[in-house]
Amino acid sequence: MDSVLASIESGQQAALDGLFDFLRIPSVSADSAFKDDMQRCAQFVRDAMQSAGLTPEIISTDGHPIVYGERMQDPSLPTILVYGHYDVQPPDPLDLWTTPPFEPTVRDGKIFARGATDDKGQLYTHIKAIEAWVQETGSLPVNVKVLIEGEEEVGSDNLDRFLEANKERLKADVAVISDTSQYGDGIPAITYGLRGIVAAELRLTGPSRDLHSGVFGGSIANPANAIAKLCGLLVGDDGRIQIPGFYDGVEELSDKEKAEFAGLPFSENDFLQEVGAGAVFGEAGYSTLERRWSRPTCDINGIVSGYTGEGPKTIVPSTAMAKITCRLVPSQNPDVILDALESFLKQHCPPGLQFEFERYHGCEAFAFDPNSPWITAASEAVAAAFGQPPVFIREGGSIPVVSSFQQILGIDTLLLGWGRNTDNLHSPDEHFHVDDFMNGVRASVHLWQKLSEVSVDR
Ligand code: BES
Ligand code: MN
Ligand code: MN
């Protein structure tokens, strides 16, 4: 393994050059204007996998293509399914970027570009580590199956069908994903739980056109008033979600887990500084980490109606729209939650408004037993590369494929995040520390060795 690690050191510039080419492709899955770039990006991933000694192919879907390749070394070795996503969030607002989002640049030891940390930079660490093993030793200590999709940021809607149709081909002992974060500066982490999500859009339509609010106001329901009221009903002053049945089956944290969360270094001041907010707010009776990692939420993501230009305008607007997401915890079912949300909103909607509720994506929460031998092995690999053993954490974000791996393929996922939550993921000036990238590649080199030593009965 020493020669493999040595080749990582000598190959640093080439690895960064490759990553920069990857980052130059504007693979925005949400916006159809980038459809051709998505195709080009899939080809980039295929070529990178080819150079790494895998046998990749591009698989088209009803949405953006999937890239899949494997290297089956020896059937007696463990088989690891590696997942990543080559799609990125839209780069807007563009004027807040210091340098353009698809022209990667290094400043202060950080690579700035959309997708640098989420998830191109992180997934590329595994491709580079596999490549180094294969080039230096002609083989790998485990079998790997690598699945890179292009629709994670829009809910992975077409991926489940691929998983269902390829259960046998994707058979593996455990999955590995690097698409989360370290706990803090110099504190690497293994994430053993994620929240799930449901997303929906609420549209209210009143009069057939905007009306004079003096002539007509007060005689029919105003969609803007109505959407404000409905959105306002969702969360109580105590931070509790008011949707009937929302908390059904939600389990309280065990005392052990509470103590573990409380044992992590955490400063409320630093946290407020980091997010730029004046005070914390959330469900009464829970700490900030508990609220973020283990309690469900309901957030308005956007809300529009009526006149929002300069100066006053006296109208009853014709329409109103709000985008809503709920983060879910184990035992909450996405369909049940969407049903409850829809009927709660419908029940409180004033008469005379057309009520439309469109459902977007959803996925369940995920929890992995932190005592699993896979976690122990991964923990040793992370410690060897980052010079510090990882802490075990949960995260509030969602990665839809993780619950699909559990439900469709019956496997757990090792969430090994090399990024940091301060990397501005989904924000302007997204970046990835060069050191985190390199430590990620090193950790991945160790990982294949450590995972090969886990005994599995097959
Ligand atoms: N990589 C993130 C999820 C993440 C980030 C988890 C940091 C933990 C720490 C992923 O790409 C993401 O943004 N997921 C979306 C999922 C949604 C679009 C279905 C999310 O969580 O909003
Ligand atoms: Mn991601
Ligand atoms: Mn993301």
Side-chain angles (χ1 to χ4, degrees):
M1 193 166 61
D2 288 349
S3 72
V4 183
L5 287 167
S7 81
I8 298 301
E9 306 316 314
S10 58
Q12 170 163 348
Q13 194 50 50
L16 288 173
D17 290 345
L19 176 58
F20 277 35
D21 287 341
F22 194 9
L23 292 171
R24 275 189 202 101
I25 307 171
S27 48
V28 181
S29 51
D31 186 343
S32 57
F34 296 93
K35 200 168 186 308
D36 291 348
D37 296 304
M38 293 301 291
Q39 204 68 41
R40 264 201 312 132
C41 203
Q43 285 160 8
F44 177 94
V45 172
R46 181 197 54 198
D47 294 348
M49 277 164 62
Q50 187 82 49
S51 310
L54 301 160
T55 50
E57 58 176 303
I58 294 179
I59 295 139
S60 45
T61 71
D62 287 348
H64 302 300
I66 290 169
V67 190
Y68 178 76
E70 48 187 53
R71 185 177 179 96
M72 296 306 287
Q73 211 58 61
D74 175 343
S76 69
L77 294 170
T79 300
I80 316 300
L81 179 58
V82 181
Y83 163 94
H85 63 92
Y86 68 83
D87 65 321
V88 301
Q89 285 274 315
D92 316 73
L94 286 172
D95 52 324
L96 292 185
W97 285 79
T98 308
T99 46
F102 299 109
E103 293 174 23
T105 356
V106 177
R107 289 193 302 276
D108 300 334
K110 300 166 198 158
I111 305 156
F112 285 82
R114 172 57 87 230
T117 187
D118 187 9
D119 176 43
K120 289 175 173 173
Q122 296 211 59
L123 79 84
Y124 202 56
T125 61
H126 295 302
I127 295 182
K128 285 286 132 179
I130 291 169
E131 182 179 72
W133 267 105
V134 171
Q135 283 180 0
E136 288 301 314
T137 71
S139 92
L140 263 181
V142 289
N143 302 309
V144 289
K145 299 183 170 180
V146 181
L147 170 64
I148 310 292
E149 71 149 323
E151 299 193 298
E152 196 274 347
E153 299 291 8
V154 288
S156 299
D157 280 345
N158 292 295
L159 192 62
D160 280 4
R161 212 162 320 137
F162 176 77
L163 300 183
E164 291 282 2
N166 292 276
K167 275 188 200 165
E168 203 44 45
R169 191 182 183 192
L170 297 170
K171 214 167 163 348
D173 296 296
V174 73
V176 167
I177 301 181
S178 291
D179 192 26
T180 50
S181 299
Q182 302 182 56
Y183 179 67
D185 285 1
I187 313 178
I190 291 184
T191 300
Y192 65 91
L194 290 173
R195 288 193 289 195
I197 187 171
V198 288
E201 182 171 315
L202 169 65
R203 289 188 293 268
L204 302 180
T205 310
S208 59
R209 59 201 181 281
D210 292 354
L211 297 176
H212 192 290
S213 65
V215 177
F216 298 102
S219 65
I220 51 164
N222 176 324
N225 291 35
I227 212 142
K229 176 193 116 166
L230 292 180
C231 290
L233 286 176
L234 292 170
V235 185
D237 288 344
D238 58 356
R240 292 277 293 181
I241 312 307
Q242 304 298 304
I243 304 164
F246 188 78
Y247 291 99
D248 286 1
V250 170
E251 281 178 30
E252 292 298 327
L253 277 181
S254 67
D255 289 342
K256 180 168 173 282
E257 228 178 338
K258 260 182 186 294
E260 283 164 2
F261 286 13
L264 291 166
F266 182 80
S267 145
E268 200 134 285
N269 273 336
D270 291 354
F271 169 72
L272 289 173
Q273 195 82 32
E274 183 187 315
V275 298
V280 298
F281 171 73
E283 194 182 352
Y286 297 92
S287 73
T288 294
L289 284 183
E290 289 167 4
R291 288 169 177 169
R292 287 167 60 194
W293 294 352
S294 69
R295 298 300 299 168
T297 65
C298 185
D299 278 300
I300 313 295
N301 311 117
I303 177 165
V304 283
S305 180
Y307 180 70
T308 56
E310 196 180 340
K313 186 181 186 201
T314 49
I315 54 163
V316 174
S318 166
T319 63
M321 186 273 274
K323 294 193 188 268
I324 305 172
T325 49
C326 298
R327 293 288 166 168
L328 311 181
V329 299
S331 91
Q332 284 182 305
N333 176 292
D335 291 325
V336 171
I337 294 295
L338 280 172
D339 287 345
L341 173 63
E342 177 172 4
S343 54
F344 178 69
L345 293 170
K346 205 172 203 161
Q347 185 198 333
H348 292 281
C349 183
L353 295 177
Q354 186 192 331
F355 178 99
E356 284 170 282
F357 185 84
E358 186 179 349
R359 293 163 181 236
Y360 294 126
H361 52 80
C363 76
E364 279 177 32
F366 166 78
F368 192 172
D369 174 9
N371 297 313
S372 137
W374 298 112
I375 295 233
T376 310
S379 167
E380 289 165 7
V382 173
F386 284 80
Q388 177 93 284
V391 293
F392 297 100
I393 63 169
R394 287 166 68 163
E395 269 284 5
S398 313
I399 305 175
V401 74
V402 174
S403 59
S404 300
F405 281 169
Q406 228 167 21
Q407 285 162 18
I408 301 171
L409 304 180
I411 56 172
D412 282 320
T413 298
L414 290 165
L415 294 164
L416 311 176
W418 320 137
R420 307 183 193 193
N421 282 340
T422 47
D423 283 345
N424 281 6
L425 47 165
H426 294 204
S427 301
D429 279 351
E430 177 178 348
H431 55 269
F432 192 24
H433 292 250
V434 175
D435 288 348
D436 290 340
F437 172 70
M438 290 304 294
N439 281 335
V441 182
R442 294 178 191 112
S444 179
V445 167
H446 287 283
L447 183 68
W448 311 131
Q449 181 61 45
K450 294 288 181 190
L451 294 181
S452 77
E453 294 159 13
V454 174
S455 62
V456 285
D457 21 275
R458 220 172 288 111

